[in-house]
Amino acid sequence: MQGEPITTRGVVFEGPGTAPRIEELTLDPPQRGEVRVRIAAAGVCHSDLHVVDGEWERPAGVVMGHEGAAWVEELGEGVTGLETGDLVVLAWTAPCRTCDRCKADEPWLCLQPDGSGHRLSPDLARLHRANGEPIGAYSGIGTFGEGQVVAASAAIKVDPRTPPEIAALIGCAVTTGIGAVRNTARVRAGESVVVIGLGGVGLSAVIGAVAAGANPVTAIDTSPEKLELATRAGAHRVLQARKASAAGGADHVLECIGLIETVELAVDLVRPGATVTLVGMTPQGQRASFDVYRFVEDGKAIRGSNYGSADPARDFPAIASDYVEGRLPLDLLISERIGLEQLDLAFDAMRRGDGARRVIVY
Ligand SMILES: NC(=O)c1ccc[n+]([C@@H]2O[C@H](COP(=O)([O-])OP(=O)(O)OC[C@H]3O[C@@H](n4cnc5c(N)ncnc54)[C@H](O)[C@@H]3O)[C@@H](O)[C@H]2O)c1
Ligand SMILES: [Zn+2]
Ligand SMILES: [Zn+2]
């Protein structure tokens, strides 16, 4: 039996340059293959800031946020494997399992993921303004809101002992960083790893590299506070960005900022015969360059890592278990717990490079 619409609150993106504002919205019941969730916690990722600052073009009229954990509150028809009360991590790419990329076991490159289009079309929008106008959900999950209806395939059940704030970060930063190490770069014990940029994503990469037995793990940032966090995360060596060239010759270099300057630096720092992994994302349309002669002679490679080359259904529960069993010090990622009304302050802090992850708790 389907329930009634409920009222909820969420931060609706109204285009670059407009301050995030909380709105009262109506949330419809879940339809076939969907679940209604109550968001438990949501992390603020630099990808949200790219959108707010107009560096990535995204549609207006969408509840923002793409990193979050939630409790299942209502099941639509035909949903199996989930029950009300389950703690789920929300995936910003929920693979369709039928397209060519999914069949090739590259679900992070799914050609038609649930939630593409941000559930903005009238048939998919479950959120509405009082005047009936449909409101979307960023990447199908819109975690800067108290309630959402999402595709069941985007709601991945994890160990209920996972604290919701940690579960939230598994939805983006942690899986992106650890996945880049485990799945994209396939770092092996004893290999040397350099991580450039120590926000939520880069610190997760450091944690993943240490857990993989990499040695030495070198962490680079401009902020002394971030270098201190990297040390707590187990990095063997930390370097101020202006001294980055001292890290040259590494088996793996992961760029986790999205700056042309550090993308080009990463290509220089990796040893001949090895692969640079690009995780950070620049404003759309930017191009980097490198010395082609040297690159070819040195037999280097560059690889992009989207969502840590992860399969959410496999990697989210595995990472949550690793945390619960004490193998990943993910607590150090959380620099502050805030309310939804403090979102603009969190964006300001991120623009200054201050703090690792800020997590909204509802
Ligand atoms: N590939 C993916 O699937 C994926 C997923 C999530 C996020 N991202 C991207 O990853 C990037 C990082 O995200 P985040 O949330 O960790 O960001 P963040 O803003 O929290 O962290 C960026 C870090 O870079 C440091 N930094 C800035 N300029 C620097 C410089 N010149 N040299 C050294 N360090 C410098 C800052 O001090 C900060 O610690 C963003 O571009 C984001 O869009 C990519
Ligand atoms: Zn993100
Ligand atoms: Zn697919």
Side-chain angles (χ1 to χ4, degrees):
M1 197 193 76
Q2 269 197 0
E4 294 291 306
I6 61 167
T7 48
T8 186
R9 294 176 343 133
V11 173
V12 181
F13 175 64
E14 283 299 5
T18 55
R21 198 169 57 83
I22 301 173
E23 279 193 51
E24 288 241 327
L25 300 165
T26 302
L27 182 60
D28 293 340
Q31 296 194 14
R32 190 171 182 81
E34 299 176 341
V35 292
R36 180 167 64 81
V37 296
R38 181 155 57 87
I39 309 286
V44 182
C45 176
H46 204 115
S47 299
D48 302 307
L49 188 58
H50 284 305
V51 173
V52 169
D53 287 347
E55 295 175 350
W56 297 355
E57 210 179 309
R58 295 290 186 271
V62 166
V63 169
M64 300 184 57
H66 66 277
E67 183 176 86
W71 290 288
V72 175
E73 286 205 322
E74 188 180 353
L75 303 177
E77 255 178 74
V79 173
T80 55
L82 288 174
E83 285 173 47
T84 57
D86 281 348
L87 176 68
V88 292
V89 174
L90 300 174
W92 52 255
T93 292
C96 74
R97 308 285 174 198
T98 59
C99 74
D100 285 352
R101 298 278 42 88
C102 281
K103 283 196 221 143
D105 203 20
E106 296 176 336
W108 59 93
L109 297 178
C110 176
L111 301 170
Q112 56 218 27
D114 289 329
S116 56
H118 309 289
R119 300 185 71 93
L120 198 52
S121 66
D123 58 320
L124 285 177
R126 302 286 172 258
L127 288 165
H128 302 276
R129 286 195 166 119
N131 65 4
E133 184 191 343
I135 293 293
Y138 190 81
S139 288
I141 58 176
T143 55
F144 297 161
E146 288 169 350
Q148 278 293 0
V149 167
V150 303
S153 56
I156 310 299
K157 187 174 167 173
V158 295
D159 188 320
R161 290 172 296 174
T162 319
E165 295 96 319
I166 297 293
L169 300 192
I170 293 173
C172 186
V174 168
T175 297
T176 297
I178 292 181
V181 168
R182 287 184 180 171
N183 303 326
T184 318
R186 297 181 182 270
V187 170
R188 300 281 167 249
E191 291 183 321
S192 55
V193 173
V194 172
V195 177
I196 309 174
L198 306 169
V201 173
L203 285 169
S204 296
V206 169
I207 289 170
V210 170
N215 197 332
V217 175
T218 304
I220 299 174
D221 204 289
T222 44
S223 147
E225 177 204 359
K226 300 302 177 67
L227 298 178
E228 165 63 28
L229 283 171
T231 302
R232 281 175 52 203
H236 305 98
R237 179 164 72 147
V238 296
L239 279 178
Q240 262 295 337
R242 64 177 184 285
K243 297 191 178 151
S245 58
D251 295 320
H252 300 275
V253 179
L254 292 93
E255 202 278 353
C256 298
I257 309 170
L259 275 182
I260 297 304
E261 181 193 337
T262 42
V263 166
E264 293 175 351
L265 171 71
V267 177
D268 288 339
L269 291 184
V270 82
R271 69 158 166 79
T275 301
V276 169
T277 304
L278 300 184
V279 184
M281 296 179 78
T282 65
Q284 284 169 330
Q286 291 193 350
R287 286 167 179 272
S289 70
F290 53 90
D291 180 334
V292 179
Y293 177 91
R294 284 235 59 85
F295 187 86
V296 175
E297 189 171 72
D298 286 349
K300 294 184 177 181
I302 303 175
R303 175 126 199 234
S305 180
N306 182 0
Y307 217 164
S309 308
D311 183 338
R314 176 198 65 194
D315 292 76
F316 289 178
I319 291 173
S321 299
D322 280 349
Y323 170 81
V324 167
E325 288 157 22
R327 288 191 290 273
L328 298 171
L330 301 178
D331 294 292
L332 65 86
L333 297 175
I334 300 177
S335 36
E336 200 181 353
R337 290 166 174 78
I338 60 172
L340 197 55
E341 47 292 319
Q342 288 161 285
L343 183 58
D344 50 346
L345 298 177
F347 284 139
D348 281 343
M350 184 171 267
R351 287 188 189 98
R352 293 192 306 268
D354 159 15
R357 265 306 192 257
R358 285 185 172 72
V359 182
I360 295 163
V361 285
Y362 291 91

